[in-house]
Amino acid sequence: MNRLDYVQWDITSACNLNCLHCREKIIKNIKDDLTLQECKNLIDQIVDFNTHTLSIAGGEPLLSPVIEDVLMYAAGKFRRLVISSNGTMIDKEKALMLSDYVTNVQISIDGPNAKIHDYIRGEGVFIKAMKAIENLQTAGVKVDIRLTLCQLNKNLVIEYIDLAKSLGLSGAYLRRIIPTGNAKKNGLDELTSLELKECLGKAINYGRKIGIHVASADYFCQIEFNEKARKKAERIQKLNGEVIGGCAVGINSFYIMQNGVIAYCPYLPVFCGDLRKQSLKEIWENSEMFKIARSIRFNLKGKCAKCRYKFACGGCRAYAYVKTGDILAEDSGCWLY
């Protein structure tokens, strides 16, 4: 347990948008955010775990008053240092600043045009995001885009991939909506498992056809549509739990809230520890929730318990929890069995 491949850190909850599907409510008061010194201490502790990727998000991370100092301190300490942004604040100056520190910037794009993107995220946001991508590319920063897939944009994935191609990007990413926060409040509907399979399959196959890498964070999607991932999953499954694939929470990844609390994941409000009270090493080694995470594949319910890829995938525990209130329940959004 001395290596972390991936850490996501929401450096602030402050945001200048109020997206229809947002998992967070807008919090303009950032008094609970970690101080700069606390941020530096956190980075040092993450580095001690030989972490591959640090992904900084929010809220909108560029609203954090310490963001540039944090990036400056983190630069060069990770193989990948990533910022996830809505793109509305990345002018030429910000793009140049980011180019000094980060390896990647991920911009949220929820459709191929202003009509759908602005409906979800707010008037005038699409054009700002497009300008942000242009500014970042001019500054030499690698840019990715990510779409949150719901009923509103499920029929626009081909056009979304065409947009990625026209922007000169190498990849376009999709993730399914988790019905929590604003998504639950606004009644944004997720796709059924069969709709999700059809939509992701169509997107991935089209991306291959035009030379765009299309991927989803869901491991069952990777197993279905990526031969290399499927063969890896089959090797893992044969080990019968000695190696765990899929969601790596508590195994080689974790998530940090803006106030230093470590939670199970951004969509699952189950808390594992508090970095203002404990060291990362103490939380990592002693958290009861992390201990549960490490053994959770042996206790799954429903179709996830019987799935031939239980140890290689395990479904999304956040989706199961949001839909049923039970972290061990089956992931009803998955079509594998």
Side-chain angles (χ1 to χ4, degrees):
M1 294 298 176
N2 62 349
R3 177 179 175 82
L4 288 168
D5 285 341
Y6 179 86
V7 173
Q8 180 178 332
W9 175 17
D10 285 352
I11 196 169
T12 184
S13 285
C15 191
N16 56 336
L17 302 182
N18 189 17
C19 303
L20 292 181
H21 54 45
C22 184
R23 59 182 162 85
E24 285 272 13
K25 62 182 180 180
I26 289 184
I27 303 173
K28 296 185 181 297
N29 189 338
I30 59 174
K31 66 180 181 180
D32 289 332
D33 291 358
L34 297 180
T35 66
L36 178 57
Q37 187 55 54
E38 287 175 323
C39 290
K40 289 181 176 180
N41 289 339
L42 171 57
I43 290 167
D44 289 341
Q45 292 184 73
I46 297 172
V47 168
D48 286 342
F49 276 77
N50 303 305
T51 303
H52 175 288
T53 298
L54 176 61
S55 178
I56 300 177
E60 169 52 52
L62 293 176
L63 281 173
S64 168
V66 300
I67 186 62
E68 183 169 4
D69 290 321
V70 166
L71 293 176
M72 187 184 305
Y73 191 75
K77 293 181 168 71
F78 306 93
R79 194 180 307 174
R80 296 179 73 244
L81 179 60
V82 183
I83 282 279
S84 294
S85 171
N86 60 39
T88 59
M89 300 179 65
I90 304 178
D91 55 18
K92 291 180 180 179
E93 183 179 356
K94 280 282 197 316
L96 286 171
M97 181 273 287
L98 291 170
S99 72
D100 287 335
Y101 310 121
V102 305
T103 59
N104 303 66
V105 174
Q106 185 174 80
I107 303 294
S108 298
I109 302 292
D110 283 323
N113 54 54
K115 181 179 179 181
I116 182 62
H117 183 83
D118 288 3
Y119 180 80
I120 293 172
R121 291 185 168 265
E123 186 175 354
V125 174
F126 183 79
I127 190 66
K128 291 179 180 178
M130 293 299 103
K131 189 63 179 177
I133 293 171
E134 179 185 338
N135 290 336
L136 288 164
Q137 290 175 320
T138 300
V141 181
K142 185 179 186 302
V143 181
D144 302 310
I145 58 174
R146 183 179 65 187
L147 178 145
T148 299
L149 193 58
C150 63
Q151 291 289 345
L152 292 174
N153 54 21
K154 68 176 184 180
N155 295 321
L156 299 171
V157 293
I158 299 300
E159 291 90 339
Y160 166 72
I161 298 164
D162 283 334
L163 174 65
K165 181 77 171 180
S166 71
L167 292 170
L169 305 180
S170 59
Y173 299 89
L174 305 106
R175 68 173 182 186
R176 57 175 164 159
I177 193 170
I178 305 292
T180 185
N182 277 1
K184 182 177 181 180
K185 174 184 174 183
N186 294 319
L188 255 63
D189 292 328
E190 67 271 22
L191 278 62
T192 67
S193 60
L194 292 181
E195 286 175 325
L196 189 63
K197 179 181 180 181
E198 180 182 4
C199 188
L200 291 175
K202 180 171 66 174
I204 290 168
N205 289 329
Y206 182 70
R208 287 177 181 147
K209 181 179 177 181
I210 68 169
I212 293 288
H213 175 66
V214 179
S216 166
D218 284 305
Y219 290 90
F220 55 78
C221 174
Q222 297 175 33
I223 291 169
E224 176 78 34
F225 298 112
N226 185 307
E227 184 179 0
K228 183 178 179 181
R230 182 165 58 254
K231 289 180 177 179
K232 180 181 178 181
E234 289 168 353
R235 291 195 301 271
I236 290 173
Q237 193 65 23
K238 288 178 181 178
L239 296 173
N240 202 34
E242 291 182 24
V243 175
I244 300 296
C247 179
V249 168
I251 300 167
N252 59 12
S253 76
F254 68 89
Y255 160 66
I256 313 165
M257 298 173 63
Q258 71 280 356
N259 60 357
V261 170
I262 294 180
Y264 194 93
C265 88
Y267 295 93
L268 214 169
V270 177
F271 305 119
C272 307
D274 187 342
L275 289 166
R276 281 177 162 154
K277 299 176 181 178
Q278 307 157 273
S279 70
L280 173 55
K281 185 175 186 293
E282 289 172 329
I283 296 170
W284 189 250
E285 293 179 352
N286 301 319
S287 166
E288 289 301 318
M289 196 58 225
F290 278 156
K291 291 176 183 178
I292 291 170
R294 290 163 191 155
S295 63
I296 205 165
R297 303 301 173 81
F298 297 92
N299 300 293
L300 296 177
K301 300 175 182 177
K303 66 179 183 180
C304 284
K306 303 172 186 177
C307 181
R308 64 189 185 275
Y309 295 114
K310 175 173 68 174
F311 294 115
C313 172
C316 174
R317 297 300 94 213
Y319 192 86
Y321 181 83
V322 168
K323 297 296 287 185
T324 69
D326 184 354
I327 195 173
L328 299 174
E330 67 180 43
D331 180 349
S332 59
C334 174
W335 59 82
L336 297 179
Y337 185 54

